[in-house]
Structure formats: C-alpha cells, structure tokens
C-alpha cells in the first residue's frame, strides 16, 4: 500500500498515512481537527540492475558488439534457363 502525506492548514503539522488507492483522502487533522490537504511528493520508484537500459530489452551496454544476430534464409536457386 502506498504512503501518503498530508499537511494541516491550521497547525501546519505533516502526517504520513498508509492507505489503499481506493481509500478516500483524509479531511480532518488528528491533532487539532483542522482541514488537511494532500501533498504531492516525488516517487521513490527506481529501476536498477541488469536489463534496465534505455532500450528496455538488453543487458549489453550500447556501443558493444551486436546484441542479436539475424539469421538470413538462404536464397532459393532456380534452374530455369532463359532462352
């Protein structure tokens, strides 16, 4: 469950609350009973480790040797002679 931050407009205290996405936002300060406003904060979600490069598919750094090789089908030979 995500962690949400609220700030009271009356006493200026900040509160952090664990809530579900479906829970309604808090409206009343638990300290003074004043009106709360929900704060917007930067996300702490980060992608780390192998495989999280700009192309999203490779664990080989760009500029390195070819990451994938494409197999070409052999050309079909025809034995028809032109007259």
């Amino acid at each position: 469950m995500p962690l949400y931050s609220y700030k009271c407009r009356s006493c200026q205290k900040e509160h952090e609350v664990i809530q579900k996405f479906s829970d309604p936002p808090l409206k009343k300060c638990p300290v003074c009973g004043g009106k709360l406003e929900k704060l917007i904060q930067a996300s702490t979600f980060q992608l780390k480790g192998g495989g999280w490069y700009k192309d999203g598919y490779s664990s080989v750094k760009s500029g390195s040797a070819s990451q994938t090789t494409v197999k070409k089908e052999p050309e079909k030979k025809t034995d028809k002679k032109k007259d």
Side-chain angles (χ1 to χ4, degrees), residues 7-13 29 32-36:
K7 186 174 184 179
C8 179
R9 290 186 180 181
S10 300
C11 66
Q12 302 299 312
K13 291 191 178 188
C29 177
C32 71
K35 189 173 181 180
L36 289 176

Side-chain angles (χ1 to χ4, degrees), residues 12-75:
Q12 302 299 312
K13 291 191 178 188
E14 290 188 19
H15 308 280
E16 291 183 339
V17 181
I18 297 175
Q19 292 180 298
K20 294 180 185 177
F21 286 111
S22 59
D23 288 346
L26 300 179
K27 298 185 186 273
K28 194 173 184 182
C29 177
V31 176
C32 71
K35 189 173 181 180
L36 289 176
E37 64 180 12
K38 196 174 195 177
L39 301 176
I40 298 174
Q41 296 180 339
S43 172
T44 58
F45 179 75
Q46 294 180 354
L47 300 176
K48 293 184 177 182
W52 297 107
Y53 292 93
K54 64 182 177 181
D55 64 358
Y57 298 100
S58 173
S59 61
V60 178
K61 293 182 181 177
S62 61
S64 298
S66 175
Q67 298 164 0
T68 58
T69 56
V70 177
K71 292 184 179 180
K72 294 183 180 179
E73 291 185 26
E75 293 181 19

Side-chain angles (χ1 to χ4, degrees), residues 68-83:
T68 58
T69 56
V70 177
K71 292 184 179 180
K72 294 183 180 179
E73 291 185 26
E75 293 181 19
K76 293 181 181 179
K77 295 182 182 179
T78 58
D79 290 341
K80 292 183 181 178
K81 293 183 182 179
K82 293 183 181 178
D83 291 317

